Amino acid sequence: MRIRPYIPNKDYKYLPKWIDNEKTHALWCANLFPYPLSPETFHDFLEKLSIERRDSAYVATENNGQVVGFFCYSVNTEDNIGFLKFIVVDKTKRGKGYGKEMLNLALKYAFQITGAEAVQLNVFPENISAKQCYEKVGFVERAFDKNIFRYKDELWSRCNMIVSKQ
């Protein structure tokens, strides 16, 4: 597996296939953009993140170039803590180690290339498989905000997780 910068005209087509229902969409982006995902809304949001928070979008590919994952990453140079967000893996690859491999590459990039001392992310604990994946990579719970996000008739909590440079 490899990671490379996200190329909108080449890579966007995969995301709607992976995020193909409203609940998966909410778990993935906390409804920061409307469902269903549209290229215009998504790319405008990525541009805004890039300008305001210095986020960059990446994809994970198999060695043959097939796109199998997506995430955004930024590093706060004041506290030297990186932040991963919008992490998603091809739905046909979930539960097969792809997320763990992608995150390990993202962490290697964060620690070795951007010089981050730690990397954090947020996850809804209701997204059990994602939280378990993050724990397998070494993320530990740092903060927990109970019942802060409404999805239809459910209230979801938010878990902030962090992993430090080894």
Side-chain angles (χ1 to χ4, degrees), residues 15-31:
L15 292 170
K17 295 175 186 174
W18 303 342
I19 305 158
D20 62 354
N21 66 70
E22 198 172 350
K23 187 167 188 175
T24 300
H25 179 85
L27 288 167
W28 174 61
C29 72
N31 290 337

Side-chain angles (χ1 to χ4, degrees), residues 76-90:
N76 181 333
T77 54
E78 291 177 20
D79 62 11
N80 221 23
I81 296 177
F83 202 106
L84 286 167
K85 56 182 79 108
F86 306 122
I87 302 163
V88 66
V89 171
D90 178 337

Side-chain angles (χ1 to χ4, degrees), residues 131-160:
K131 189 168 188 280
Q132 288 173 340
C133 178
Y134 303 149
E135 289 168 343
K136 287 178 186 171
V137 175
F139 283 88
V140 295
E141 195 171 304
R142 178 167 78 163
F144 190 89
D145 298 308
K146 191 162 177 62
N147 300 332
I148 60 144
F149 180 80
R150 180 170 298 282
Y151 173 75
K152 297 190 176 186
D153 61 346
E154 302 173 23
L155 276 177
W156 296 349
S157 299
R158 179 179 59 213
C159 179
N160 177 264

